[in-house]
Amino acid sequence: MGGSPDDKDFVYDNGADDAPREDEGRALEDSAAGSPGGPHADALDRDSSLISLPSSLAICLVSGGMDSCVTAAIARTENDEIAFLHVSYGQLTERRERRAFEELADFYGVSKRLAVSLEHLARIGGSSLTDPSIPVAEANLASRQIPTSYVPFRNAHLLAVATSWAEVNGAGRVYIGAVAEDSTGYPDCRPEFYEAFQRTIDVGTRPSTRVEIRTPVISLRKSEIVRRGVELGAPLGLTWSCYRAEDAACGACDSCALRLRAFREAGVPDPITYAR
């Protein structure tokens, strides 16, 4: 899914003969960086810490849910170092999800962690997760309609934050626990969405930046994610999936129903407490 090094070596052409070429700009930047007396040498030196180069550091988007927990467990096996990023957006269970994030980070010994708030998504509204006037619907796993819990274009916002943090820290990968099984309800969980966003990263970051989106559970069923988590020793008991409650999970929203079915099909007891 990640773009090849050639993906960013394009020639910008707006129809003018003297249109700037990115490869020429890169050569000029390299020349200035190597020339102590160059007019931009000091600025380039100051910015050098921000230039992302391929590294063994990976950014993991961790909501506190089961899918992101297992994704983080996979990322831990594929990278020398992982950093955890949590994004809140005014959702009903914001405090409980933040607690799950911190406990997961503690479990994995992650010292580099960042929690940010995208409150504008709550102001925009349009979702039962952020707008108290829209009730969280009872579970209907047979439905093919976009549910009220869909937060419009949320994952694009999450990936934008993760990419910015990756570029500043020199991380080469961003992991997100998207699942295509959810894509009938959430359009920003489809594989083609991540392919498109990868192209956005490739053309919208520094020429030297290489950040690859990784979606290791996107093709798995929820029950397979549970089994994979058990295999990796992921602390599924620390995760939180409920859309409604922050004490005992409601057991009746779509997210709870998907989780309960996944554990049942996997033949594994769900370690969290449910109200019913």
Side-chain angles (χ1 to χ4, degrees):
M1 183 175 295
S4 66
D6 291 335
D7 286 345
K8 297 185 67 175
D9 294 336
F10 63 89
V11 175
Y12 173 74
D13 184 5
N14 64 358
D17 292 338
D18 59 348
R21 295 172 179 266
E22 182 164 332
D23 50 357
E24 291 175 357
R26 187 179 305 170
L28 289 171
E29 184 176 354
D30 292 343
S31 175
S35 174
H40 304 297
D42 291 341
L44 287 169
D45 287 342
R46 286 195 299 271
D47 288 347
S48 62
S49 63
L50 301 181
I51 298 176
S52 296
L53 299 173
S55 76
S56 58
L57 172 66
I59 306 295
C60 298
L61 277 158
V62 179
S63 66
M66 180 178 73
D67 301 334
S68 67
C69 171
V70 176
T71 295
I74 294 170
R76 189 166 175 262
T77 69
E78 296 178 347
N79 302 274
D80 294 332
E81 182 184 3
I82 55 176
F84 275 15
L85 171 62
H86 179 74
V87 180
S88 60
Y89 46 92
Q91 68 271 37
L92 294 175
T93 56
E94 180 176 347
R95 286 179 297 178
R96 185 62 183 85
E97 291 179 27
R98 174 64 182 274
R99 173 184 150 192
F101 163 78
E102 297 291 353
E103 290 177 348
L104 289 170
D106 289 343
F107 178 88
Y108 284 116
V110 175
S111 59
K112 187 182 291 293
R113 59 183 84 171
L114 176 66
V116 300
S117 177
L118 300 182
E119 295 179 359
H120 62 276
L121 289 177
R123 294 185 179 185
I124 290 170
S127 169
S128 59
L129 299 191
T130 59
D131 187 342
S133 69
I134 304 175
V136 176
E138 294 288 303
N140 181 5
L141 301 187
S143 174
R144 289 296 178 264
Q145 301 297 315
I146 294 178
T148 62
S149 56
Y150 167 63
V151 179
F153 212 48
R154 183 197 66 174
N155 287 351
H157 296 258
L158 272 58
L159 287 172
V161 175
T163 301
S164 295
W165 200 36
E167 188 166 30
V168 168
N169 284 279
R173 294 170 176 170
V174 167
Y175 285 77
I176 184 169
V179 182
E181 186 178 1
D182 295 335
S183 64
T184 52
Y186 300 132
D188 55 358
C189 284
R190 295 177 295 174
E192 52 265 41
F193 168 77
Y194 294 96
E195 293 166 4
F197 207 95
Q198 181 67 64
R199 293 193 293 272
T200 299
I201 292 173
D202 291 342
V203 301
T205 54
R206 293 172 182 268
S208 56
T209 296
R210 295 292 182 269
V211 175
E212 178 190 6
I213 300 174
R214 300 297 295 270
T215 55
V217 300
I218 199 164
S219 62
L220 301 183
R221 290 181 53 81
K222 292 282 190 179
S223 57
E224 293 174 319
I225 294 173
V226 171
R227 294 191 190 102
R228 186 74 173 118
V230 171
E231 290 171 1
L232 293 171
L236 300 178
L238 299 180
T239 64
W240 194 254
S241 303
C242 185
Y243 286 157
R244 288 175 171 166
E246 294 189 305
D247 297 323
C250 76
C253 66
D254 270 342
S255 188
C256 281
L258 284 168
R259 179 181 176 125
L260 286 166
R261 185 177 70 180
F263 275 91
R264 183 172 63 252
E265 291 179 350
V268 176
D270 189 343
I272 71 168
T273 301
Y274 288 86
R276 60 176 180 177

